[in-house]
Amino acid sequence: MLGKLDGFNRTHHCGELEISDINKDVTIMGWVQKRRDHGGVIFIDVRDRSGFIQVVFNPHIEKEAFNKADQLRSEYVIAVKGSIRKRPKGNINQELATGKIEVEGKQLKILDKANTTPFLIEDDVNPGENLRLKYRYLDLRRPIMREIIKLRHRVVKITRDFMDDSGFLEIETPLLTKSTPEGARDYLVPSRINAGHFYALPQSPQLFKQLLMVSGMERYFQIAKCFRDEDLRANRQPEFTQIDIEMSFITRENIFELTENLLRDIFATKNIELPKKIPVMTYQKAIDQYGLDKPDLRFDMKLKNISDIVKDSQFKIFSNIVQNDGQVKGITVKAGAKFSRSEIDDLEKYVKLYEAKGLAWIMIKDDKIKSPIAKFFTEETINKIIERMEAKNGDLMLFVADQPDIVATSLGKLRVKLAGELDLIDKNKYEFTWIIDFPLFEYKKEEGRYVAKHHPFTAPLLDDVDELDNDLDKIKANSYDIVLNGEELGGGSIRISNKELQHKIFDVMNFTEEEIENKFGFLMDALQYGTPPHGGIALGLDRMIMILANTDSIRNVIAFPKTQKATSPLTKAPSKVDKKQLDELHIDLVDID
RNA sequence: GGAGGUGUAGCGAAGUGGUUGAACGCGCCGGCCUGUCACGCCGGAGAUCGCGGGUUCAAAUCCCGUCGCCUCCGCCA
C-alpha cells in the first residue's frame, strides 16, 4: 500500500509544534532527516517545510511501529501518528525550536523510500555547485535554501499587497515580443508561422508599461521575468525578475516616496529599518567621491583629486596625464603602512583589470615617507598631497593617473575591495541612497555614436529641446537609481511623453527615419493620442533577495538557476532539437564543430 | 573573446615523481546498544585520481591538449 494515506490525515507541521501541544494526538508527515537507533529505542527526526521534530519509537509503546522504524533511512517519506509529550528531564535540547517536546510514535507509514542522496540534506555541507544544481530538488530540501525560497515568496507577497493597497494594477505583458535594437543581446524565438521572423524575449516590459500608461491604466506593476543574452556573473542570470512599476501624472519625487515605502515594508522582513527619507546624491558626486555610480556608503575612504598639486611636478607620468585631460586621484588606506611590497603589487594587478596603467603609492611609516615616487616631488608637494589625502602616520596612499573614467572605475573598485579585505564594513549597516542626474547619453566608441545611458525613452532634464543640438555629454537625464551598500537595487526614469521629443532623441542617436518607424513605430503612433506624463522604476528582485538572505550568489536565490555557461545541469538545457522541429521553424544549422 | 582558480570513493578533503597496496572525516552496508539529538562501540564495502596524449625504469604528482564548474575583465540600454 505504498504511497496511500489511508487513515492518515496530517494535523500539524513539524516545526510548528510547541509546548502548548502537549498531550495532543497528532499526525505529521515529512522526510526522515536522521535516524538514531539505540537498539531499544529509535529516534527519528522528521522534517517538513516548517522545520523538524523528534519522534521516539519505543517497543513498549507500540511494537509494530518500532519494528517498522527500524527500516527507516534518510529521506524516506513517512507519516506518523502519535502524541506530543514533554521530553524527559535532562533530555531537553535547547538548540532546537522543538527541543522541549517530542512525538511519541504510535503508528508509522512509509509513504516512499529513498536512495542514498548524493549529498547530505544539511546546511553545513558543501557539495560542489554543479552537483547541487544537478540535484537541485535535493539542494532545496536543505533548510538554508528552503528559507531563502520562503523569504522570496514573502517579499513578492509583500510587494503585491503593497502595490494593491497603493492602487496599482498587476498586468501581464507579452513574453513573445519584438526585438529591441538598443541594450542587451536578445534571446530570440523563431516563428513557425512566419518563416524567417523572430520574436524576442523581453529585456524588460519597458515599452508595454509605457503603452499601458497611454491606455490610461495609471498605475501598473508586475513581477516581471526579464531576459538578457549576455555573459553571466555571480549576480547575473540570463533570466531574472524585476518588480516593474509605472505611474502616470507623477514626478520623480512621487516615485521616490512610493519606492521607499515599498522597500520599507520589504526590508522589515529582516528587521532592517529605512531612514525616513533616503538621501539623494548626484551621479557626478558619486563618481567624484566613490568612483562608481553605485557607491557603498558604509565606509569612508573617499577618492581625492590631487591633479592640481602634481600638475607641474617633476614626476612626468603624473604631470603629463594631467596636462592631457587626465587626472590623478588617490585613496588613503588607514593603517595601510603594514602592506608589504608584494601586497601592493597585487593591488596594482587589481587596478590593471580596469585598465589603469599602474598604481603609485606613498606610505607614511614611522613618520617617514616611503615611496618609489617621492623622489620626484619637493617636500612641499609631498606635504600638500598628505594634507589633501588626509593621511596620517601609518597610512598608505594609493594613486591612479589616467583618463577620468579609468581613474574613477579602478580606484572605485579598489576602494570596495580594500574595505572588504580590511574589514571596514559594518555588516549590520544598510546605507541606501538615490543616485540622480545621470548623463542622458554616453558615447560608444565602437559604434561611433551616442547611445542612451539608461534607455532611449528617458526624459532629459532640460528646459529647451534645442539643447539637444549642443553638447550631448552635458545633458542630464531625469533618471534615478536606488543603491544599497554598493549594490544597484533598481533604477528608473521619468519618460518622454511627447512625440517630437522622442523623435529628436532617436535623431541624435543616429537612427534613420526608417529605423525609427521599423523599430519604434508603434510607440511613436501611441504617443500621438494623448499621453500622460509618466515614469517608473524597476527593482531587481533577485539582487534584493541576495542582500536580505545575505548570500553572495544569485543562484542561491533562484530555485532553478543556470551555470556560468547558461546551462542547466538539471535539465541539460539548452539541448539539440530534432531536424523536424528545425524544419518547421525554417531553420538550417550552419556547421558547428 | 580574455585572465585566474578548481576537478582525487556518494560528499568533503590530504597527498606535487618511487615505503600511498591513495590518508582522514562524513555518508553507506552488517552487527551490538532504552534517551539520543554531530548518539556510541565493533566490523565491512566503496576510487577509470575529470578526459586524451606525451616525458620517465616509474605519473594523482611533470609537460601538452581538452572538458566541466567557479570568480573576474570585456559584455550587461
Side-chain angles (χ1 to χ4, degrees):
Chain A
M1 291 295 121
L2 215 59
K4 280 183 68 183
L5 285 177
D6 53 331
F8 285 77
N9 284 306
R10 194 189 211 181
T11 62
H12 292 80
H13 296 276
C14 302
E16 290 163 5
L17 288 161
E18 49 187 46
I19 271 286
S20 62
D21 292 311
I22 282 171
N23 295 326
K24 279 188 191 162
D25 289 327
V26 300
T27 302
I28 57 170
M29 299 187 187
W31 286 258
V32 173
Q33 174 68 40
K34 187 82 185 171
R35 180 179 67 124
R36 288 180 297 278
D37 181 352
H38 284 250
V41 62
I42 297 173
F43 300 97
I44 303 290
D45 290 338
V46 181
R47 184 193 71 239
D48 64 18
R49 202 178 74 187
S50 63
F52 70 90
I53 189 166
Q54 172 169 283
V55 180
V56 191
F57 292 99
N58 190 314
H60 299 316
I61 310 283
E62 279 298 337
K63 186 82 179 160
E64 195 189 325
F66 174 84
N67 287 339
K68 210 180 267 181
D70 195 49
Q71 306 166 26
L72 293 180
R73 294 293 182 271
S74 290
E75 300 308 313
Y76 277 28
V77 184
I78 60 173
V80 178
K81 279 189 193 180
S83 57
I84 302 296
R85 69 178 192 202
K86 212 175 196 162
R87 292 199 188 184
K89 281 199 186 68
N91 289 304
I92 287 170
N93 188 335
Q94 301 289 0
E95 311 274 297
L96 306 179
T98 56
K100 294 193 175 91
I101 54 174
E102 62 192 6
V103 176
E104 190 175 76
K106 291 175 180 160
Q107 278 186 62
L108 169 63
K109 195 167 195 58
I110 296 177
L111 300 173
D112 196 22
K113 296 188 173 187
N115 289 344
T116 302
T117 51
F119 50 84
L120 295 180
I121 311 300
E122 289 173 5
D123 283 349
D124 49 1
V125 294
N126 183 31
E129 186 150 359
N130 212 28
L131 196 73
R132 285 177 56 202
L133 293 184
K134 181 174 178 187
Y135 298 98
R136 187 59 152 183
Y137 44 89
L138 299 179
D139 192 36
L140 293 174
R141 286 184 189 174
R142 297 162 61 219
I144 198 167
M145 295 301 292
R146 179 186 69 211
E147 293 309 313
I148 290 174
I149 297 295
K150 285 160 81 172
L151 169 67
R152 188 172 173 129
H153 162 76
R154 273 206 301 285
V155 169
V156 170
K157 169 84 166 92
I158 287 166
T159 302
R160 289 206 157 99
D161 289 347
F162 176 89
M163 298 310 286
D164 182 50
D165 289 345
S166 305
F168 285 78
L169 303 179
E170 182 169 7
I171 305 173
E172 291 163 274
T173 54
L175 292 183
L176 295 176
T177 180
K178 188 178 168 70
S179 181
T180 52
E182 298 289 288
R185 192 177 295 111
D186 283 321
Y187 274 99
L188 295 178
V189 180
S191 169
R192 174 182 58 84
I193 297 171
N194 304 279
H197 291 62
F198 294 82
Y199 302 97
L201 303 179
Q203 298 176 29
S204 84
Q206 183 60 35
L207 286 172
F208 289 106
K209 68 176 176 175
Q210 290 189 231
L211 293 175
L212 287 168
M213 295 303 102
V214 177
S215 307
M217 292 298 154
E218 299 197 13
R219 293 182 164 218
Y220 142 96
F221 88 102
Q222 185 178 193
I223 310 297
K225 265 289 179 81
C226 304
F227 304 86
R228 295 178 191 176
D229 187 4
E230 297 293 349
D231 285 355
L232 288 73
R233 288 286 191 284
N235 62 0
R236 263 166 37 191
Q237 282 275 302
E239 54 179 307
F240 61 98
T241 306
Q242 287 186 341
I243 300 172
D244 196 44
I245 296 171
E246 196 78 2
M247 311 160 75
S248 294
F249 308 115
I250 44 82
T251 63
R252 180 175 79 188
E253 277 62 35
N254 297 128
I255 292 178
F256 285 9
E257 189 186 350
L258 179 98
T259 305
E260 290 177 23
N261 287 334
L262 170 60
L263 291 177
R264 191 165 286 117
D265 280 7
I266 289 173
F267 279 78
T269 54
K270 288 287 181 180
N271 296 318
I272 297 163
E273 272 187 55
L274 267 71
K276 281 206 174 61
K277 195 114 188 44
I278 292 179
V280 174
M281 182 187 293
T282 64
Y283 172 83
Q284 196 56 50
K285 183 178 173 190
I287 297 295
D288 285 348
Q289 298 195 343
Y290 302 96
L292 308 171
D293 60 7
K294 43 178 188 174
D296 191 334
L297 304 178
R298 289 174 296 178
F299 60 96
D300 197 40
M301 216 197 296
K302 293 192 187 78
L303 278 59
K304 302 271 166 53
N305 195 330
I306 61 162
S307 301
D308 57 316
I309 302 174
V310 300
K311 184 170 180 239
D312 299 312
S313 72
Q314 293 304 303
F315 189 38
K316 291 297 173 209
I317 294 177
F318 278 11
S319 53
N320 284 344
I321 283 170
V322 176
Q323 284 160 23
N324 288 291
D325 299 323
Q327 55 180 200
V328 182
K329 295 179 80 170
I331 54 176
T332 299
V333 185
K334 291 286 161 202
K338 65 180 178 216
F339 277 71
S340 70
R341 197 60 187 259
S342 73
E343 283 171 323
I344 295 175
D345 286 348
D346 286 344
L347 299 179
E348 179 165 38
K349 273 184 207 145
Y350 185 73
V351 295
K352 282 181 172 174
L353 290 175
Y354 300 94
E355 291 178 39
K357 287 171 198 70
L359 186 69
W361 54 275
I362 302 174
M363 190 182 267
I364 314 178
K365 195 168 190 176
D366 305 324
D367 285 314
K368 289 195 191 75
I369 300 295
K370 228 179 116 183
S371 167
I373 61 167
K375 61 187 174 212
F376 298 109
F377 299 117
T378 62
E379 197 178 330
E380 192 197 347
T381 302
I382 293 269
N383 286 335
K384 275 189 191 163
I385 292 173
I386 291 171
E387 193 190 342
R388 177 73 52 85
M389 297 301 297
E390 295 170 34
K392 303 221 161 38
N393 185 36
D395 293 349
L396 169 67
M397 291 164 270
L398 299 165
F399 304 95
V400 172
D402 219 306
Q403 294 308 302
D405 55 333
I406 292 175
V407 171
T409 305
S410 58
L411 277 179
K413 288 282 189 181
L414 181 64
R415 173 182 174 270
V416 171
K417 176 190 165 77
L418 281 167
E421 288 176 1
L422 296 170
D423 210 19
L424 301 180
I425 297 173
D426 179 350
K427 291 278 182 288
N428 296 314
K429 253 185 170 176
Y430 292 84
E431 294 286 345
F432 292 85
T433 186
W434 287 103
I435 306 294
I436 60 165
D437 294 355
F438 282 83
L440 185 62
F441 299 107
E442 61 186 341
Y443 189 73
K444 280 249 170 172
K445 281 173 229 133
E446 315 83 69
E447 301 181 36
R449 66 176 186 115
Y450 282 89
V451 301
K453 185 162 176 73
H454 185 56
H455 57 52
F457 321 110
T458 298
L461 277 176
L462 40 72
D463 300 318
D464 187 348
V465 178
D466 290 341
E467 289 177 50
L468 285 167
D469 294 325
N470 301 323
D471 189 352
L472 293 181
D473 286 312
K474 292 210 175 107
I475 298 170
K476 301 273 187 285
N478 197 349
S479 66
Y480 33 81
D481 278 359
I482 176 110
V483 171
L484 167 59
N485 293 352
E487 296 281 349
E488 181 192 327
L489 280 188
S493 61
I494 300 298
R495 323 299 183 192
I496 296 167
S497 51
N498 168 283
K499 188 184 176 187
E500 285 68 41
L501 178 57
Q502 185 66 71
H503 196 282
K504 182 83 185 171
I505 295 286
F506 287 141
D507 270 348
V508 302
M509 289 169 55
N510 276 357
F511 279 94
T512 64
E513 217 45 55
E514 197 185 356
E515 282 171 324
I516 296 173
E517 177 54 33
N518 287 342
K519 312 288 187 192
F520 301 110
F522 65 105
L523 174 70
M524 301 308 282
D525 282 351
L527 289 176
Q528 301 178 98
Y529 295 102
T531 306
H534 64 285
I537 192 166
L539 302 168
L541 179 68
D542 310 279
R543 288 185 188 177
M544 199 143 66
I545 305 295
M546 280 173 70
I547 291 172
L548 291 169
N550 196 23
T551 182
D552 53 12
S553 166
I554 195 172
R555 296 180 298 280
N556 283 335
V557 302
I558 295 175
F560 299 102
K562 296 192 173 54
T563 67
Q564 194 167 45
K565 281 196 71 186
T567 63
S568 164
L570 175 69
T571 63
K572 301 282 201 301
S575 53
K576 292 182 176 171
V577 295
D578 296 338
K579 175 104 177 28
K580 180 162 178 281
Q581 286 177 288
L582 290 175
D583 288 345
E584 285 178 335
L585 295 170
H586 324 285
I587 290 180
D588 258 342
L589 296 182
V590 294
D591 289 334
I592 349 165
D593 302 26

